[in-house]
Amino acid sequence: MKLIEFGFQKGINEVIGITFGEWINTAPLGIIVDNPESDRAKVRLYSNHTRKNIERTSRLWINIIHDPVIFAKASFEDLDESYFLNLDPPIIKGSLGWCKMDAKLRGGFADLRLLDAKIIEKEIRTVNRGFNAVIEALVHGTRFVSLKRDDLLVKVEYYLDIAEKCGGDREKRAVEIIREKLGLDV
Ligand SMILES: Cc1cc2nc3c(=O)[nH]c(=O)nc-3n(C[C@H](O)[C@H](O)[C@H](O)COP(=O)(O)O)c2cc1C
């Protein structure tokens, strides 16, 4: 089983990470892949619930998904069960595939090994700047939540403008969620 079969590319792959603790924890994560022909990857983990759950369970579930609203919601809160099609394995509605990873913490990272995976749907789609901009806004927005640096909000606004201009309905909804969660003017 190779990562490339499930859409992973060399570089950083943005996915939704799901871990189990007292509740189902969902968070966007960047999976770092050096060799997509292998079953190995890693993820940098800050001090968050994902890290805590992995420390206890040594498991990371990954959903590959293209829905900006799911990325926006999972960045600031955990998705409740109504967002899931299935809990074992955990599959968020709209996911194109899932992976089960063995995850071992090593310093600021977790080493990942692909244990099981399934493609749910293969999707052809063009590149949309609006979707990409939502992801960028969220990266800076989640950093703002922990660091409270105003320069990060300037970047969030920059990317939200692009998301609004180039995105469709789901990107526009994601923009609303981001503004609401960060307390930005609508
Ligand atoms: C696109 C994107 C990628 C992210 N990648 C990571 C990552 O690789 N590692 C990490 O610790 N946080 C990452 N974050 C931030 C977490 O998703 C965010 O801090 C989240 O609230 C953590 O949730 P948790 O405490 O429930 O684990 C990323 C955020 C976004 C929007």
Side-chain angles (χ1 to χ4, degrees):
M1 206 172 249
K2 298 173 181 175
L3 287 163
I4 198 166
E5 294 163 21
F6 302 97
F8 288 85
Q9 302 172 59
K10 188 178 171 91
I12 303 184
N13 299 261
E14 309 302 341
V15 301
I16 302 293
I18 305 166
T19 53
F20 289 90
E22 287 166 37
W23 62 90
I24 310 169
N25 195 89
T26 50
L29 295 176
I31 306 298
I32 304 164
V33 172
D34 189 35
N35 177 11
E37 296 284 342
S38 78
D39 59 357
R40 307 288 168 137
K42 64 181 180 176
V43 60
R44 179 188 283 277
L45 288 175
Y46 299 103
S47 170
N48 52 28
H49 294 110
T50 302
R51 184 183 177 89
K52 220 165 132 191
N53 289 345
I54 285 179
E55 195 169 13
R56 222 178 39 83
T57 63
S58 298
R59 276 289 173 278
L60 172 66
W61 297 86
I62 285 170
N63 274 200
I64 297 138
I65 190 160
H66 288 165
D67 184 348
V69 172
I70 295 293
F71 273 93
K73 284 195 182 273
S75 291
F76 302 109
E77 61 191 54
D78 292 317
L79 303 174
D80 67 38
E81 290 190 14
S82 70
Y83 285 91
F84 285 80
L85 194 67
N86 198 48
L87 288 178
D88 187 20
I91 304 172
I92 296 164
K93 289 172 189 165
S95 286
L96 303 173
W98 59 265
C99 302
K100 176 186 182 182
M101 297 284 201
D102 176 67
K104 293 271 159 28
L105 290 183
R106 192 162 52 89
F109 292 84
D111 289 328
L112 306 176
R113 185 167 57 91
L114 186 61
L115 296 176
D116 196 6
K118 195 161 181 226
I119 297 169
I120 298 165
E121 198 187 324
K122 281 190 176 169
E123 184 187 86
I124 180 167
R125 62 180 236 161
T126 59
V127 172
N128 178 267
R129 287 180 67 206
F131 176 78
N132 293 350
V134 166
I135 297 298
E136 291 307 316
L138 286 169
V139 167
H140 297 296
T142 52
R143 284 184 189 152
F144 174 78
V145 169
S146 43
L147 302 174
K148 300 279 180 267
R149 270 178 21 216
D150 285 345
D151 60 306
L152 293 168
L153 284 187
V154 175
K155 290 184 179 170
V156 171
E157 290 283 13
Y158 173 80
Y159 286 111
L160 289 184
D161 279 352
I162 298 173
E164 254 166 357
K165 209 176 332 157
C166 304
D169 292 347
R170 296 298 276 175
E171 283 77 16
K172 288 185 170 59
R173 177 69 195 121
V175 169
E176 281 174 6
I177 293 166
I178 298 168
R179 287 198 184 285
E180 186 190 307
K181 295 288 181 188
L182 295 177
L184 301 173
D185 291 339
V186 184

PDB file of all heavy atoms in Angstrom, residues 14 25-30 43-46 48-50 71 74-76 78 135 138-139 142, ligand 1:
ATOM      1  N   GLU A  14      -2.654  18.750   2.590  1.00  0.00           N
ATOM      2  CA  GLU A  14      -3.614  19.263   3.583  1.00  0.00           C
ATOM      3  C   GLU A  14      -4.833  18.339   3.664  1.00  0.00           C
ATOM      4  O   GLU A  14      -5.498  18.090   2.654  1.00  0.00           O
ATOM      5  CB  GLU A  14      -4.053  20.689   3.226  1.00  0.00           C
ATOM      6  CG  GLU A  14      -2.916  21.672   2.949  1.00  0.00           C
ATOM      7  CD  GLU A  14      -1.918  21.841   4.090  1.00  0.00           C
ATOM      8  OE1 GLU A  14      -2.241  21.505   5.244  1.00  0.00           O
ATOM      9  OE2 GLU A  14      -0.795  22.315   3.819  1.00  0.00           O
ATOM     10  N   ASN A  25     -12.037  14.023  17.722  1.00  0.00           N
ATOM     11  CA  ASN A  25     -11.340  15.274  17.455  1.00  0.00           C
ATOM     12  C   ASN A  25     -11.033  15.414  15.964  1.00  0.00           C
ATOM     13  O   ASN A  25     -10.547  14.482  15.344  1.00  0.00           O
ATOM     14  CB  ASN A  25     -10.029  15.287  18.247  1.00  0.00           C
ATOM     15  CG  ASN A  25      -9.444  16.671  18.307  1.00  0.00           C
ATOM     16  OD1 ASN A  25      -9.761  17.426  19.206  1.00  0.00           O
ATOM     17  ND2 ASN A  25      -8.626  17.034  17.325  1.00  0.00           N
ATOM     18  N   THR A  26     -11.381  16.583  15.421  1.00  0.00           N
ATOM     19  CA  THR A  26     -11.103  16.813  13.992  1.00  0.00           C
ATOM     20  C   THR A  26     -10.292  18.103  13.844  1.00  0.00           C
ATOM     21  O   THR A  26     -10.612  19.105  14.476  1.00  0.00           O
ATOM     22  CB  THR A  26     -12.423  16.963  13.203  1.00  0.00           C
ATOM     23  OG1 THR A  26     -13.268  17.925  13.851  1.00  0.00           O
ATOM     24  CG2 THR A  26     -13.161  15.652  13.105  1.00  0.00           C
ATOM     25  N   ALA A  27      -9.261  18.059  13.026  1.00  0.00           N
ATOM     26  CA  ALA A  27      -8.434  19.259  12.795  1.00  0.00           C
ATOM     27  C   ALA A  27      -7.735  19.150  11.445  1.00  0.00           C
ATOM     28  O   ALA A  27      -7.259  18.064  11.093  1.00  0.00           O
ATOM     29  CB  ALA A  27      -7.387  19.384  13.911  1.00  0.00           C
ATOM     30  N   PRO A  28      -7.658  20.252  10.709  1.00  0.00           N
ATOM     31  CA  PRO A  28      -6.835  20.222   9.493  1.00  0.00           C
ATOM     32  C   PRO A  28      -5.372  19.972   9.869  1.00  0.00           C
ATOM     33  O   PRO A  28      -4.883  20.525  10.865  1.00  0.00           O
ATOM     34  CB  PRO A  28      -6.989  21.630   8.907  1.00  0.00           C
ATOM     35  CG  PRO A  28      -8.238  22.172   9.500  1.00  0.00           C
ATOM     36  CD  PRO A  28      -8.324  21.556  10.867  1.00  0.00           C
ATOM     37  N   LEU A  29      -4.706  19.154   9.079  1.00  0.00           N
ATOM     38  CA  LEU A  29      -3.295  18.850   9.323  1.00  0.00           C
ATOM     39  C   LEU A  29      -2.557  18.830   7.991  1.00  0.00           C
ATOM     40  O   LEU A  29      -3.147  18.482   6.959  1.00  0.00           O
ATOM     41  CB  LEU A  29      -3.139  17.456   9.968  1.00  0.00           C
ATOM     42  CG  LEU A  29      -3.709  17.221  11.356  1.00  0.00           C
ATOM     43  CD1 LEU A  29      -3.525  15.755  11.732  1.00  0.00           C
ATOM     44  CD2 LEU A  29      -3.068  18.135  12.397  1.00  0.00           C
ATOM     45  N   GLY A  30      -1.282  19.170   8.028  1.00  0.00           N
ATOM     46  CA  GLY A  30      -0.435  19.087   6.841  1.00  0.00           C
ATOM     47  C   GLY A  30       0.446  17.848   6.938  1.00  0.00           C
ATOM     48  O   GLY A  30       1.372  17.803   7.748  1.00  0.00           O
ATOM     49  N   VAL A  43       4.000  14.289  10.412  1.00  0.00           N
ATOM     50  CA  VAL A  43       3.207  15.496  10.608  1.00  0.00           C
ATOM     51  C   VAL A  43       3.798  16.265  11.787  1.00  0.00           C
ATOM     52  O   VAL A  43       4.175  15.667  12.796  1.00  0.00           O
ATOM     53  CB  VAL A  43       1.709  15.149  10.842  1.00  0.00           C
ATOM     54  CG1 VAL A  43       1.481  14.264  12.059  1.00  0.00           C
ATOM     55  CG2 VAL A  43       0.855  16.405  10.927  1.00  0.00           C
ATOM     56  N   ARG A  44       3.921  17.594  11.616  1.00  0.00           N
ATOM     57  CA  ARG A  44       4.370  18.421  12.740  1.00  0.00           C
ATOM     58  C   ARG A  44       3.165  18.647  13.640  1.00  0.00           C
ATOM     59  O   ARG A  44       2.087  18.987  13.150  1.00  0.00           O
ATOM     60  CB  ARG A  44       4.891  19.765  12.233  1.00  0.00           C
ATOM     61  CG  ARG A  44       5.360  20.681  13.335  1.00  0.00           C
ATOM     62  CD  ARG A  44       5.677  22.050  12.769  1.00  0.00           C
ATOM     63  NE  ARG A  44       6.941  22.094  12.067  1.00  0.00           N
ATOM     64  CZ  ARG A  44       8.123  22.255  12.667  1.00  0.00           C
ATOM     65  NH1 ARG A  44       8.199  22.373  13.976  1.00  0.00           N
ATOM     66  NH2 ARG A  44       9.233  22.310  11.963  1.00  0.00           N
ATOM     67  N   LEU A  45       3.330  18.421  14.917  1.00  0.00           N
ATOM     68  CA  LEU A  45       2.193  18.609  15.815  1.00  0.00           C
ATOM     69  C   LEU A  45       2.508  19.625  16.892  1.00  0.00           C
ATOM     70  O   LEU A  45       3.465  19.472  17.642  1.00  0.00           O
ATOM     71  CB  LEU A  45       1.797  17.274  16.463  1.00  0.00           C
ATOM     72  CG  LEU A  45       1.111  16.270  15.542  1.00  0.00           C
ATOM     73  CD1 LEU A  45       0.894  14.963  16.261  1.00  0.00           C
ATOM     74  CD2 LEU A  45      -0.211  16.815  14.991  1.00  0.00           C
ATOM     75  N   TYR A  46       1.702  20.678  16.906  1.00  0.00           N
ATOM     76  CA  TYR A  46       1.834  21.666  17.966  1.00  0.00           C
ATOM     77  C   TYR A  46       1.140  21.108  19.194  1.00  0.00           C
ATOM     78  O   TYR A  46       0.641  19.975  19.191  1.00  0.00           O
ATOM     79  CB  TYR A  46       1.234  22.996  17.504  1.00  0.00           C
ATOM     80  CG  TYR A  46       1.961  23.523  16.293  1.00  0.00           C
ATOM     81  CD1 TYR A  46       1.420  23.410  15.020  1.00  0.00           C
ATOM     82  CD2 TYR A  46       3.235  24.078  16.428  1.00  0.00           C
ATOM     83  CE1 TYR A  46       2.119  23.847  13.906  1.00  0.00           C
ATOM     84  CE2 TYR A  46       3.938  24.517  15.318  1.00  0.00           C
ATOM     85  CZ  TYR A  46       3.374  24.406  14.069  1.00  0.00           C
ATOM     86  OH  TYR A  46       4.081  24.821  12.968  1.00  0.00           O
ATOM     87  N   ASN A  48      -1.674  20.460  20.837  1.00  0.00           N
ATOM     88  CA  ASN A  48      -3.125  20.506  20.614  1.00  0.00           C
ATOM     89  C   ASN A  48      -3.762  19.159  20.979  1.00  0.00           C
ATOM     90  O   ASN A  48      -3.075  18.227  21.413  1.00  0.00           O
ATOM     91  CB  ASN A  48      -3.432  20.922  19.169  1.00  0.00           C
ATOM     92  CG  ASN A  48      -2.681  20.069  18.162  1.00  0.00           C
ATOM     93  OD1 ASN A  48      -2.371  18.916  18.437  1.00  0.00           O
ATOM     94  ND2 ASN A  48      -2.385  20.634  17.009  1.00  0.00           N
ATOM     95  N   HIS A  49      -5.069  19.072  20.785  1.00  0.00           N
ATOM     96  CA  HIS A  49      -5.777  17.841  21.160  1.00  0.00           C
ATOM     97  C   HIS A  49      -5.358  16.664  20.280  1.00  0.00           C
ATOM     98  O   HIS A  49      -5.314  15.524  20.736  1.00  0.00           O
ATOM     99  CB  HIS A  49      -7.294  18.056  21.058  1.00  0.00           C
ATOM    100  CG  HIS A  49      -7.803  19.051  22.049  1.00  0.00           C
ATOM    101  ND1 HIS A  49      -8.260  20.298  21.683  1.00  0.00           N
ATOM    102  CD2 HIS A  49      -7.905  18.985  23.392  1.00  0.00           C
ATOM    103  CE1 HIS A  49      -8.615  20.962  22.759  1.00  0.00           C
ATOM    104  NE2 HIS A  49      -8.417  20.196  23.810  1.00  0.00           N
ATOM    105  N   THR A  50      -5.078  16.966  19.012  1.00  0.00           N
ATOM    106  CA  THR A  50      -4.644  15.900  18.100  1.00  0.00           C
ATOM    107  C   THR A  50      -3.399  15.223  18.677  1.00  0.00           C
ATOM    108  O   THR A  50      -3.308  13.992  18.757  1.00  0.00           O
ATOM    109  CB  THR A  50      -4.331  16.497  16.705  1.00  0.00           C
ATOM    110  OG1 THR A  50      -5.505  17.162  16.225  1.00  0.00           O
ATOM    111  CG2 THR A  50      -3.899  15.431  15.735  1.00  0.00           C
ATOM    112  N   PHE A  71     -13.079  22.284   6.180  1.00  0.00           N
ATOM    113  CA  PHE A  71     -11.787  22.813   6.655  1.00  0.00           C
ATOM    114  C   PHE A  71     -12.003  23.971   7.614  1.00  0.00           C
ATOM    115  O   PHE A  71     -11.337  24.062   8.648  1.00  0.00           O
ATOM    116  CB  PHE A  71     -10.911  23.252   5.464  1.00  0.00           C
ATOM    117  CG  PHE A  71     -10.088  22.135   4.888  1.00  0.00           C
ATOM    118  CD1 PHE A  71     -10.549  21.379   3.833  1.00  0.00           C
ATOM    119  CD2 PHE A  71      -8.848  21.823   5.433  1.00  0.00           C
ATOM    120  CE1 PHE A  71      -9.798  20.331   3.304  1.00  0.00           C
ATOM    121  CE2 PHE A  71      -8.087  20.784   4.929  1.00  0.00           C
ATOM    122  CZ  PHE A  71      -8.564  20.036   3.854  1.00  0.00           C
ATOM    123  N   ALA A  74     -13.584  22.616  11.009  1.00  0.00           N
ATOM    124  CA  ALA A  74     -12.650  21.776  11.769  1.00  0.00           C
ATOM    125  C   ALA A  74     -11.456  22.574  12.298  1.00  0.00           C
ATOM    126  O   ALA A  74     -10.787  22.145  13.236  1.00  0.00           O
ATOM    127  CB  ALA A  74     -12.176  20.608  10.911  1.00  0.00           C
ATOM    128  N   SER A  75     -11.200  23.744  11.720  1.00  0.00           N
ATOM    129  CA  SER A  75     -10.086  24.572  12.201  1.00  0.00           C
ATOM    130  C   SER A  75     -10.359  25.171  13.573  1.00  0.00           C
ATOM    131  O   SER A  75      -9.441  25.429  14.344  1.00  0.00           O
ATOM    132  CB  SER A  75      -9.827  25.732  11.233  1.00  0.00           C
ATOM    133  OG  SER A  75      -9.308  25.249  10.033  1.00  0.00           O
ATOM    134  N   PHE A  76     -11.633  25.389  13.853  1.00  0.00           N
ATOM    135  CA  PHE A  76     -11.954  26.117  15.084  1.00  0.00           C
ATOM    136  C   PHE A  76     -12.748  25.297  16.094  1.00  0.00           C
ATOM    137  O   PHE A  76     -12.914  25.701  17.233  1.00  0.00           O
ATOM    138  CB  PHE A  76     -12.748  27.387  14.739  1.00  0.00           C
ATOM    139  CG  PHE A  76     -12.004  28.302  13.805  1.00  0.00           C
ATOM    140  CD1 PHE A  76     -12.399  28.465  12.490  1.00  0.00           C
ATOM    141  CD2 PHE A  76     -10.879  28.992  14.251  1.00  0.00           C
ATOM    142  CE1 PHE A  76     -11.707  29.303  11.627  1.00  0.00           C
ATOM    143  CE2 PHE A  76     -10.178  29.834  13.400  1.00  0.00           C
ATOM    144  CZ  PHE A  76     -10.600  29.988  12.077  1.00  0.00           C
ATOM    145  N   ASP A  78     -14.566  20.992  16.865  1.00  0.00           N
ATOM    146  CA  ASP A  78     -14.610  19.609  16.415  1.00  0.00           C
ATOM    147  C   ASP A  78     -15.952  19.339  15.757  1.00  0.00           C
ATOM    148  O   ASP A  78     -16.984  19.796  16.239  1.00  0.00           O
ATOM    149  CB  ASP A  78     -14.369  18.665  17.594  1.00  0.00           C
ATOM    150  CG  ASP A  78     -12.947  18.800  18.092  1.00  0.00           C
ATOM    151  OD1 ASP A  78     -12.038  18.867  17.247  1.00  0.00           O
ATOM    152  OD2 ASP A  78     -12.747  18.875  19.323  1.00  0.00           O
ATOM    153  N   ILE A 135      -7.848  27.926   2.395  1.00  0.00           N
ATOM    154  CA  ILE A 135      -6.836  27.167   3.143  1.00  0.00           C
ATOM    155  C   ILE A 135      -5.778  28.119   3.710  1.00  0.00           C
ATOM    156  O   ILE A 135      -5.401  28.026   4.886  1.00  0.00           O
ATOM    157  CB  ILE A 135      -6.180  26.079   2.236  1.00  0.00           C
ATOM    158  CG1 ILE A 135      -7.234  25.054   1.782  1.00  0.00           C
ATOM    159  CG2 ILE A 135      -5.016  25.391   2.940  1.00  0.00           C
ATOM    160  CD1 ILE A 135      -7.892  24.264   2.885  1.00  0.00           C
ATOM    161  N   LEU A 138      -7.069  30.079   6.591  1.00  0.00           N
ATOM    162  CA  LEU A 138      -7.197  29.247   7.794  1.00  0.00           C
ATOM    163  C   LEU A 138      -5.847  28.982   8.458  1.00  0.00           C
ATOM    164  O   LEU A 138      -5.750  28.931   9.689  1.00  0.00           O
ATOM    165  CB  LEU A 138      -7.872  27.915   7.438  1.00  0.00           C
ATOM    166  CG  LEU A 138      -9.373  28.007   7.162  1.00  0.00           C
ATOM    167  CD1 LEU A 138      -9.888  26.700   6.568  1.00  0.00           C
ATOM    168  CD2 LEU A 138     -10.137  28.346   8.448  1.00  0.00           C
ATOM    169  N   VAL A 139      -4.823  28.804   7.635  1.00  0.00           N
ATOM    170  CA  VAL A 139      -3.488  28.588   8.212  1.00  0.00           C
ATOM    171  C   VAL A 139      -3.120  29.789   9.084  1.00  0.00           C
ATOM    172  O   VAL A 139      -2.706  29.648  10.243  1.00  0.00           O
ATOM    173  CB  VAL A 139      -2.434  28.356   7.099  1.00  0.00           C
ATOM    174  CG1 VAL A 139      -1.020  28.451   7.654  1.00  0.00           C
ATOM    175  CG2 VAL A 139      -2.657  27.002   6.431  1.00  0.00           C
ATOM    176  N   THR A 142      -5.657  30.103  12.181  1.00  0.00           N
ATOM    177  CA  THR A 142      -5.410  29.209  13.331  1.00  0.00           C
ATOM    178  C   THR A 142      -4.128  29.631  14.063  1.00  0.00           C
ATOM    179  O   THR A 142      -4.041  29.498  15.272  1.00  0.00           O
ATOM    180  CB  THR A 142      -5.353  27.718  12.916  1.00  0.00           C
ATOM    181  OG1 THR A 142      -4.429  27.564  11.829  1.00  0.00           O
ATOM    182  CG2 THR A 142      -6.709  27.202  12.486  1.00  0.00           C
TER     183      THR A 142
HETATM  184  C1  LIG B   1      -4.591  23.873   6.344  1.00  0.00           C
HETATM  185  C2  LIG B   1      -4.179  23.737   7.785  1.00  0.00           C
HETATM  186  C3  LIG B   1      -3.129  22.883   8.112  1.00  0.00           C
HETATM  187  C4  LIG B   1      -2.737  22.718   9.445  1.00  0.00           C
HETATM  188  N1  LIG B   1      -1.711  21.862   9.732  1.00  0.00           N
HETATM  189  C5  LIG B   1      -1.379  21.627  11.025  1.00  0.00           C
HETATM  190  C6  LIG B   1      -0.339  20.691  11.326  1.00  0.00           C
HETATM  191  O1  LIG B   1       0.257  20.072  10.446  1.00  0.00           O
HETATM  192  N2  LIG B   1      -0.070  20.482  12.639  1.00  0.00           N
HETATM  193  C7  LIG B   1      -0.740  21.130  13.645  1.00  0.00           C
HETATM  194  O2  LIG B   1      -0.445  20.874  14.823  1.00  0.00           O
HETATM  195  N3  LIG B   1      -1.710  22.054  13.386  1.00  0.00           N
HETATM  196  C8  LIG B   1      -2.043  22.297  12.099  1.00  0.00           C
HETATM  197  N4  LIG B   1      -3.035  23.201  11.807  1.00  0.00           N
HETATM  198  C9  LIG B   1      -3.719  23.897  12.913  1.00  0.00           C
HETATM  199  C10 LIG B   1      -4.754  23.015  13.565  1.00  0.00           C
HETATM  200  O3  LIG B   1      -5.670  22.470  12.635  1.00  0.00           O
HETATM  201  C11 LIG B   1      -5.586  23.858  14.572  1.00  0.00           C
HETATM  202  O4  LIG B   1      -4.713  24.462  15.482  1.00  0.00           O
HETATM  203  C12 LIG B   1      -6.626  23.052  15.290  1.00  0.00           C
HETATM  204  O5  LIG B   1      -7.464  23.932  15.996  1.00  0.00           O
HETATM  205  C13 LIG B   1      -6.047  22.061  16.293  1.00  0.00           C
HETATM  206  O6  LIG B   1      -7.138  21.355  16.830  1.00  0.00           O
HETATM  207  P1  LIG B   1      -7.080  20.322  18.030  1.00  0.00           P
HETATM  208  O7  LIG B   1      -6.629  21.050  19.274  1.00  0.00           O
HETATM  209  O8  LIG B   1      -8.489  19.871  18.091  1.00  0.00           O
HETATM  210  O9  LIG B   1      -6.124  19.218  17.649  1.00  0.00           O
HETATM  211  C14 LIG B   1      -3.420  23.408  10.480  1.00  0.00           C
HETATM  212  C15 LIG B   1      -4.476  24.261  10.145  1.00  0.00           C
HETATM  213  C16 LIG B   1      -4.840  24.433   8.812  1.00  0.00           C
HETATM  214  C17 LIG B   1      -5.973  25.340   8.490  1.00  0.00           C
END
